[in-house]
Amino acid sequence: MTVFSSVDAHIDALVPSWLTLPDVAERLGLDITRIRPLIKEGQLIAVRRGENRVLMVPSDFIGDGKIIKGLSGTLTVLKDDGFSDEEALEWLFTVDDTLPGTPAQALRENRGTEVKRRAQALAV
């Protein structure tokens, strides 16, 4: 996955809200210097947004002081399937009637097994 790509209007419209890297650091209780390695390691996706091309992370990826359970594994599966960051974001924030809801919502609701199963099925 490309580490810092920009997001197009379609994906920007799918993602309900975004956090800057300092906001992510604050919510996770980490020093700002720890956030970029998390992105580089594939535990989070960050894209450049807006006029100033600020690096941002979907706020749905952060919950209760930590990265939502199952996100890292799902991102790994999508990366292994050949998904770019943009394609992964699009998949995570597009409604899947079989879940129901979006894969990102399902991860937030601790339904990571179902999400990972669907992500693995994409490779077939």
Side-chain angles (χ1 to χ4, degrees):
M1 287 186 187
T2 13
V3 178
F4 305 125
S5 49
S6 34
V7 66
D8 68 24
H10 171 69
I11 293 168
D12 203 29
L14 289 175
V15 178
S17 61
W18 298 86
L19 296 170
T20 63
L21 298 192
D23 290 338
V24 171
E26 185 179 318
R27 289 211 184 168
L28 294 177
L30 296 172
D31 190 81
I32 183 69
T33 59
R34 287 290 309 129
I35 303 307
R36 284 182 192 257
L38 289 174
I39 296 162
K40 206 168 194 135
E41 294 161 8
Q43 295 186 44
L44 285 172
I45 293 177
V47 290
R48 296 200 178 275
R49 292 184 64 245
E51 277 182 41
N52 296 335
R53 317 255 312 124
V54 175
L55 215 46
M56 301 187 96
V57 171
S59 61
D60 282 356
F61 291 172
I62 311 299
D64 296 333
K66 58 186 179 275
I67 297 169
I68 58 171
K69 184 178 173 189
L71 178 65
S72 176
T74 302
L75 292 177
T76 299
V77 171
L78 293 173
K79 179 182 177 187
D80 291 349
D81 288 349
F83 277 56
S84 67
D85 285 352
E86 294 77 18
E87 291 166 333
L89 284 172
E90 184 173 10
W91 185 79
L92 284 162
F93 287 95
T94 298
V95 172
D96 178 340
D97 293 333
T98 66
L99 272 172
T102 67
Q105 286 171 317
L107 286 172
R108 288 188 69 81
E109 295 165 3
N110 204 19
R111 295 186 288 138
T113 305
E114 296 172 54
V115 173
K116 202 182 253 186
R117 197 174 298 130
R118 281 166 180 76
Q120 288 166 336
L122 297 171
V124 178

